[in-house]
Amino acid sequence: MLVKTYGSAVFGVDALTITIEVCIGGGNKYHIVGLPDNTIRESLRRIETAIQSAGLKMPRQKIVINLAPADIRKEGSAYDLPIAIAILAASGQIEATDTDKYFIMGELSLDGGLQPIRGALPIAIQAHAAGFRGFILPKDNSREAAIVTELLVYGMNNLMEVVAFFKHPEDKPAHTLLDTTTGVLPLPEGFEYDFSEVKGQENIKRALEIAAAGGHNLILIGPPGAGKTMLAKRLPSILPPLSIPEALETTKIHSVAGKLNALDALMTSRPYRCPHHTISDVALVGGGANPQPGEISLAHNGVLFLDELPEFKRSVLEVMRQPLEDRNITISRAKLSVSYPASFMLIASMNPCPCGFYNHPTKECTCGSGLVQKYLSKISGPLLDRIDLHVEVTPVNFKELTSSAAAEKSERIRARVIAARTIQGIRFQGRPDLHCNAQMNSGMVRQVCQIDKKGQALIKKAMERLGLSARAYDRILKVARTIADLAGTEDIRAEHLAEAINYRSLDRDSWAS
C-alpha cells in the first residue's frame, strides 16, 4: 500500500514542500531514497523503536521510503515523525484519509517522545501557502508555528498523541492560538542596563541616540576604561520596539538557527549579538556544509557589537563589507545558493593604539609611531567608510564620576528615538523593505535628504578638507536626516548637517597624527 505524508525542507529562511512516500510490499528490507543524509538514513532505527514503545508494530516487510523531489538533498531528524506516520498508515494501523491534509514534522526519541525541530516558522508559512489544513509538530515548537494564525497548529508531546489524532479525528485537541493583531509589539520591560547609570559622556549618549533613531553604524574610539563597552551594552534600552513584519523576519532567522526556546513565539526585542574577537569569518557571515545563518544574520533588525575591533582577524572584518552595503548575505555552494537577510546596526569599539593611551590627557603612550599605524591598519578604509558615526570617547573626570546629579533615563531617550522612527515610518510608507534612514539607497537619499545652498557649501567644504568619498557623502546626508527627525523638523538645516559632518571628521589619519 502506498501512503503519502508531507513535510518540509528549509533553505535559507524559506521552506520547500517535501512529499514522503511510503510503500510496503513483499520482502524484508528497508530502503530510503531521495538524497537523504546520514541522519535520515539512521532514522529507521529510531522510528522502529519509537513505534514499538508506543505499543504498535513495525511491519516486517519491504518498506520503500521516497523523499520527493528526489533531486534535492534532505537533511536533519525532523522527518522521523512523517515517516513513522506514513509507515503506520501504509500498514493499516491508522487511517490514511487525513494524513495528506497536514504538514507533519518532528524528531522521535526511542520512547516515542517528540523533540523540537529547527525552522518551524518558515515551515508553517510554507504549509499555509501550499494550502494545507494544519501543521502537526512537537509541542515545544507550537507557539512559534502558531504565528501563522490562518493555519491550524497542533503541538504534540509524543507519537501516541499523533496516532490518536488520526485514529479519532472527532477528539482532536485544541490548536495553538496566538494574538498578533497589533501592528507593533509591546516594549520589553526591565532592561539590565540603563543610561541613567552612566556618569558624564553626554556627547556619546547623543551619538548613540542618533544611531538608534536612524539605524546607523557607529564606532567608538578611546582608551581603556573610558566606557565604550558600558555604553554599547546600554544601546538596546533605547532601541524602538519591533514591528510585526520586523519580528517575523527576525524570528524566522532564529528559528532556522535553532535559537528559539519553547516559550518563544515572536521575538519581542531586537537582537543584540556580541561575538568574541576569535570568531571565524564563516561563523560571522554564515556558512558550513549545510549553510546556517551567521552572527550578522542573527543580528538582523538589531545590533552587532564588535568589541576591540582591531583584535578581529582582518579576513573576518573584510567579509562584512558587502553585507553592510547590501544588507543581505548570499552563501554559495556547489549545489545550492542560500541568502540570509543581514540588516543590522554595527557598533564597534577600539583603542587608539596597542597600549590604549595614545592622545590620553594624563597617561603617556608607550607605542612607537610604527606600532600605532600598524594597529590602525587592521581596519581597512573601505570598512571604515561604511561606518556612519566616528566618535571619540574620552575618560570621565573625577568630578563627573562622583557627581550626584541624576542622568537621563533610557526611557526618555527611547521616547525620542521612537518619535523619530515614527516619522521615518510615515516617510517610507509603501516600502516594506525600508524601516529607517540608514536603509535608504542613493536614489532615495537624493529625494529625501535635500539641502539648501548653505548646506551644499558646508558639505562641499567638508568633503574637500577631509577627503571624503561619495559613500561618505550619502551617509552624512542620512545622519543629518536622522538628526532633523529627532529635532522634529521637515528640512535639514545647517546645524543638522554640521553635526553629521562632525561625526565623520575623526578619520584614521587624525588618530595617528
Side-chain angles (χ1 to χ4, degrees):
M1 181 180 178
L2 175 64
V3 170
K4 295 182 180 181
T5 57
Y6 294 88
S8 185
V10 178
F11 296 97
V13 292
D14 298 312
L16 174 71
T17 301
I18 300 296
T19 304
I20 296 95
E21 301 175 318
V22 172
C23 182
I24 298 179
N28 59 2
K29 289 187 177 181
Y30 304 152
H31 304 276
I32 299 183
V33 296
L35 286 183
D37 70 347
N38 287 333
T39 305
I40 299 175
R41 291 193 186 97
E42 294 172 349
S43 66
L44 282 173
R45 300 291 178 266
R46 293 191 298 274
I47 291 168
E48 180 177 6
T49 306
I51 287 175
Q52 291 172 348
S53 296
L56 301 167
K57 294 182 179 180
M58 184 73 173
R60 299 303 176 188
Q61 297 171 273
K62 180 181 178 181
I63 301 176
V64 178
I65 302 162
N66 179 43
L67 308 177
D71 60 340
I72 296 175
R73 187 164 183 80
K74 324 304 185 302
E75 298 177 328
S77 56
Y79 297 97
D80 290 2
L81 184 58
I83 292 174
I85 294 300
I87 289 174
L88 292 173
S91 61
Q93 298 182 67
I94 62 174
E95 291 291 333
T97 52
D98 287 339
T99 55
D100 60 349
K101 296 180 175 62
Y102 297 88
F103 260 25
I104 306 172
M105 297 293 284
E107 176 187 337
L108 283 171
S109 298
L110 297 184
D111 62 357
L114 291 179
Q115 300 297 321
I117 63 173
R118 292 186 177 189
L121 178 55
I123 293 173
I125 293 171
Q126 175 61 19
H128 173 62
F132 284 81
R133 181 186 298 172
F135 184 14
I136 299 170
L137 76 170
K139 197 173 188 66
D140 285 349
N141 298 113
S142 59
R143 285 177 53 80
E144 176 188 341
I147 294 170
V148 185
T149 54
E150 303 88 351
L151 187 71
L152 298 177
V153 174
Y154 297 96
M156 302 294 185
N157 292 305
N158 52 57
L159 177 61
M160 278 306 299
E161 290 185 7
V162 183
V163 170
F165 180 92
F166 290 109
K167 273 191 172 183
H168 308 289
E170 69 281 359
D171 297 328
K172 287 180 180 176
H175 59 277
T176 306
L177 289 172
L178 287 179
D179 180 16
T180 58
T181 55
T182 57
V184 177
L185 295 175
L187 285 169
E189 296 181 0
F191 286 102
E192 184 179 358
Y193 304 106
D194 194 280
F195 274 102
S196 62
E197 302 160 354
V198 180
K199 300 292 185 180
Q201 305 289 25
E202 298 303 323
N203 60 323
I204 318 301
K205 293 178 186 177
R206 169 66 175 172
L208 288 168
E209 180 181 338
I210 294 169
H216 301 290
N217 302 324
L218 176 145
I219 185 169
L220 302 170
I221 307 108
K228 303 184 295 295
T229 304
M230 176 193 65
L231 287 158
K233 284 183 177 180
R234 282 156 177 77
L235 181 61
S237 67
I238 64 170
L239 292 176
L242 286 165
S243 66
I244 290 294
E246 287 178 313
L248 282 169
E249 291 175 354
T250 308
T251 305
K252 281 175 68 176
I253 297 168
H254 285 251
S255 172
V256 169
K259 302 294 184 181
L260 296 178
N261 61 49
L263 299 178
D264 286 326
L266 276 177
M267 291 187 65
T268 57
S269 59
R270 294 183 181 273
Y272 180 85
R273 308 292 299 184
C274 182
H276 192 259
H277 63 258
T278 55
I279 191 173
S280 68
D281 50 356
V282 171
L284 186 69
V285 301
N290 176 27
Q292 292 294 306
E295 289 292 332
I296 63 171
S297 295
L298 293 172
H300 180 62
N301 290 324
V303 176
L304 177 68
F305 177 47
L306 301 185
D307 201 4
E308 302 297 342
L309 190 66
E311 300 302 326
F312 287 79
K313 289 184 290 187
R314 178 74 179 253
S315 61
V316 171
L317 297 179
E318 292 307 299
V319 295
M320 286 198 302
R321 284 161 55 175
Q322 179 265 330
L324 280 170
E325 201 70 27
D326 297 341
R327 297 188 177 274
N328 65 71
I329 180 70
T330 300
I331 303 165
S332 297
R333 295 293 180 265
K335 293 186 177 181
L336 81 161
S337 181
V338 175
S339 292
Y340 290 111
S343 181
F344 60 94
M345 286 174 58
L346 173 64
I347 306 297
S349 72
M350 61 175 289
N351 297 325
C353 67
C355 77
F357 298 110
Y358 187 83
N359 276 346
H360 194 279
T362 59
K363 296 184 179 181
E364 184 178 353
C365 174
T366 59
C367 307
S369 59
L371 278 176
V372 175
Q373 288 288 359
K374 183 179 180 181
Y375 182 75
L376 297 176
S377 67
K378 292 182 179 181
I379 306 169
S380 69
L383 177 62
L384 195 63
D385 203 33
R386 288 166 167 82
I387 299 178
D388 305 344
L389 294 92
H390 306 166
V391 184
E392 184 175 11
V393 184
T394 55
V396 180
N397 59 45
F398 181 79
K399 183 178 179 180
E400 288 179 323
L401 191 62
T402 57
S403 172
S404 59
E408 189 175 30
K409 291 185 176 182
S410 293
E411 184 180 0
R412 293 186 61 185
I413 302 174
R414 185 170 63 234
R416 295 195 295 268
V417 169
I418 292 173
R421 284 287 184 109
T422 302
I423 294 172
Q424 294 165 48
I426 296 170
R427 177 181 299 135
F428 301 134
Q429 276 184 342
R431 293 293 303 270
D433 56 322
L434 290 179
H435 303 293
C436 57
N437 289 332
Q439 296 173 348
M440 290 189 291
N441 57 32
S442 295
M444 287 209 69
V445 170
R446 301 295 184 273
Q447 178 185 346
V448 172
C449 305
Q450 297 182 3
I451 53 178
D452 56 20
K453 290 184 178 180
K454 184 178 179 181
Q456 289 175 352
L458 182 62
I459 197 169
K460 178 184 177 183
K461 183 178 179 181
M463 290 191 70
E464 290 173 350
R465 184 170 65 87
L466 300 173
L468 300 176
S469 67
R471 180 186 288 113
Y473 172 76
D474 278 357
R475 291 180 180 269
I476 287 173
L477 290 179
K478 292 179 186 180
V479 173
R481 179 67 267 172
T482 299
I483 295 171
D485 290 342
L486 282 167
T489 61
E490 185 175 347
D491 299 324
I492 298 176
R493 299 174 182 171
E495 59 266 28
H496 305 147
L497 202 56
E499 185 176 1
I501 292 170
N502 182 59
Y503 291 122
R504 298 293 303 203
S505 62
L506 186 65
D507 60 22
R508 180 165 54 191
D509 293 334
S510 69
W511 305 343
S513 61

